[in-house]
Amino acid sequence: MLYRKWGSKEDKVVTYTSSSREDVRILDKVKEVMKAHVIELFLSGNLSKEDARKLLQGINSFTKVDPSYEDVHEALEDHLIKTAGEAGGSIGLGRSRNDHVAAALRLEIREELMDLLEQLLDFRKMILKRAEENVNTPFVVYTHFQPAQPTTFGHYLLYVEEEVASRWSSIFRTLDLVNRSPLGSGAIVGTSVKLNRDRESNLLGFREVLVNTISATSSRADLISAVMEVVNLMLALSRVVEDMILLSSKFVGILELPDTHVSTSSLMPQKRNAVTMEVLRARVSRVLGYLTSIASTYKSLPSGYNLDLQEINPLFWEIIDETRTGIEVLHDLLSKVKVNEFKIDKEVLSTDEAEILAEKGMRYRDAYFAVAKAVREGKFSPTITPEQSIYRKAVKGSPSPERVRESISLARERLNGDENLLREYKNWTLKGEGELRLMENDILQEGN
Ligand code: ARG
C-alpha cells in the first residue's frame, strides 16, 4: 500500500476495492502511458534526463501486479519508488490514476478493436469464397419461419456477409472516438505542471487530444459506443446462429453441420445436437448482459471520476473476448457446413406463378387470388421449376446466379477498401508508438 497509511492488506474491507487482478489486462498499456508521462516530464523540463532514465528502466522491470495494491497504478508507482531511488518520488508529478487509466483503456480497446476488425475481414473473405462455391446450390428461405421462396445458399451467405460488413463499418467508425488522448488531464482539471498534451498524444499514437479535462478523465462514452457496436454485431450473428440450429434440425434438415459442432445424447442414440450454436446463442445473451451491466453502472454517475468506473473495465474485456471466440466458432462452422439435397415444397413457387400470370396481363391482385385458391384446393401445379424461379429474379441483390456474382464483386470491392482503411489505421498508430520508442532509446542510451 502506497497511498493509504491506514488499514492492512489482510483486511477484506481494504482489499474489497482493489482492481489489481483485473488490471493485468492493461498492464502493458499502463506502462506505455507511464513512459509517455516520464518522457513528457523530461521534454517539458520537469525532470532531468538522468531521472527519466532511471524511471524508464524501472518501468521496464515492472512485470507483476501484487494483488495487495489498490491497482496497477499504485503498484507501479511503488515499484518505481523502490527501484529508481529518489527519482521515484517525482513520478506522481502532474499525473493522476484517472488520466492514466483512461489512456490505458483507450490504448487497449483501440488495439483489440483493430484485432477484431482483422478477424472480421477473414470471416468475410471466407464467406465470399463459400458464396462463390454455392452460387447454384438450391436453398429455401423463410419468413415467419414458414417456407417463403426458393433461393441459393450463395445468396443466403451474402446476407451474412453484408451484415458483418455493415457492422464492420460501424465498429471501425468508433475507433476514431476511442483513439483520442486523455493524458495530461490529471484528476479532473489538468495540472499546473506545463505538460504538452499534444506531444503526449503523439507519443502514444493517438489521433488527437480529447480536449476537456473533465470528459478526458471521467467519460467512458466513447468506449461504450465501441462495445455497443460490437454487441450489435453479435445480435446480428445470433440470428445466423439460430438459423444454423433450425435449418439443421430434423424438422427442416436442409443443412448438415460439421461433426465437430454436434454432439449426441447420452440416452438417445439418434441425436445430432447443434451444441456449439446453442452455446453461442446463450453467450450472445451473456454479452448483452455485460452491456446492460456497463450501461446501468454508467447511467447517472455524477461527472468526474468515481470508482464505479473501475467496475466497468473487466466488462469491456468480457464482451470483446466472448465476441472473438464466438466468431471463431461460427467461422469454423460456416466454412464447413453443407447443404443437403432436399425436396422443395412446390408451394414456395406460388409467388412466381402469380408474377407469371401478371406478366401475361392479369392484375397482380387477381393473379394472387387465383393462385391462392389453387393452393387452398390442393390444385396448385407450378409451371416452372425452383431453378427457373431463381433465374427469373431480376433485381440487384437477388439470387439469380448473375446477380449473386455481381453482389460478390461489389462485396469484394468493399472488402478491399476496408482492408486498406484498417492497414492505414494500423500504420498510423504504429508510427506514433515508434516515436515513443525512439525517445525511450535515446534517454536509455545516455546512461551506458
Ligand atoms: N483502479 C482505477 C480504475 O481502474 C484507477 C483509477 C482510480 N482513481 C481513483 N481516484 N481512485 O479505474
Side-chain angles (χ1 to χ4, degrees), residues 378-395:
K379 291 184 195 145
F380 176 64
S381 148
T383 59
I384 57 164
T385 64
E387 201 176 50
Q388 286 167 325
S389 147
I390 292 162
Y391 271 88
R392 285 172 50 85
K393 295 298 168 294
V395 299

Side-chain angles (χ1 to χ4, degrees), residues 19 23 71 73 97-98 101 220 305 307 309-310 313:
S19 63
D23 286 348
D71 52 32
H73 314 279
R97 285 182 284 177
N98 297 352
V101 71
R220 296 292 182 270
Y305 186 88
L307 204 52
L309 292 176
Q310 164 184 291
N313 303 347

Side-chain angles (χ1 to χ4, degrees), residues 42-43 78 80 100 139 167 206 266 292 310 357 407 421:
F42 162 65
L43 292 175
D78 201 29
L80 292 177
H100 276 228
F139 202 64
R167 303 288 57 81
F206 280 116
S266 61
T292 309
Q310 164 184 291
L357 292 175
S407 301
L421 283 175

Side-chain angles (χ1 to χ4, degrees), residues 36-201:
H37 175 61
V38 168
I39 291 169
E40 179 53 30
L41 279 178
F42 162 65
L43 292 175
S44 57
N46 289 289
L47 195 71
S48 71
K49 202 165 189 179
E50 177 63 14
D51 280 357
R53 186 170 57 78
K54 288 185 187 149
L55 288 167
L56 289 174
Q57 284 168 341
I59 297 168
N60 282 330
S61 65
F62 180 71
T63 51
K64 233 174 71 229
V65 192
D66 185 315
S68 65
Y69 287 102
E70 282 182 27
D71 52 32
V72 61
H73 314 279
E74 184 187 42
L76 174 56
E77 183 169 350
D78 201 29
H79 173 83
L80 292 177
I81 287 171
K82 287 177 178 140
T83 58
E86 296 259 293
S90 291
I91 198 65
L93 184 68
R95 72 169 276 271
S96 153
R97 285 182 284 177
N98 297 352
D99 66 336
H100 276 228
V101 71
L105 289 172
R106 283 171 185 270
L107 289 179
E108 183 65 23
I109 292 185
R110 177 180 80 183
E111 183 174 304
E112 305 214 10
L113 288 180
M114 290 194 291
D115 289 346
L116 170 65
L117 289 169
E118 188 82 58
Q119 182 184 11
L120 291 174
L121 291 176
D122 285 345
F123 184 91
R124 288 164 61 187
K125 274 182 213 159
M126 177 277 294
I127 297 283
L128 291 180
K129 185 170 150 276
R130 292 234 61 200
E132 210 155 42
E133 293 161 4
N134 286 282
V135 168
N136 288 303
T137 312
F139 202 64
V140 172
V141 277
Y142 295 74
T143 63
H144 310 268
F145 202 57
Q146 312 265 347
Q149 293 189 273
T151 182
T152 63
F153 191 46
H155 181 239
Y156 174 84
L157 288 170
L158 288 181
Y159 142 70
V160 179
E161 202 278 334
E162 186 151 83
E163 285 286 278
V164 176
S166 305
R167 303 288 57 81
W168 195 99
S169 301
S170 37
I171 295 171
F172 184 79
R173 275 195 289 274
T174 67
L175 254 179
D176 267 351
L177 296 172
V178 170
N179 198 9
R180 296 188 289 172
S181 177
L183 198 58
S185 55
I188 184 161
V189 295
T191 168
S192 49
V193 182
K194 291 195 177 53
L195 302 175
N196 182 334
R197 292 192 64 203
D198 290 303
R199 202 157 49 192
E200 291 178 312
S201 168

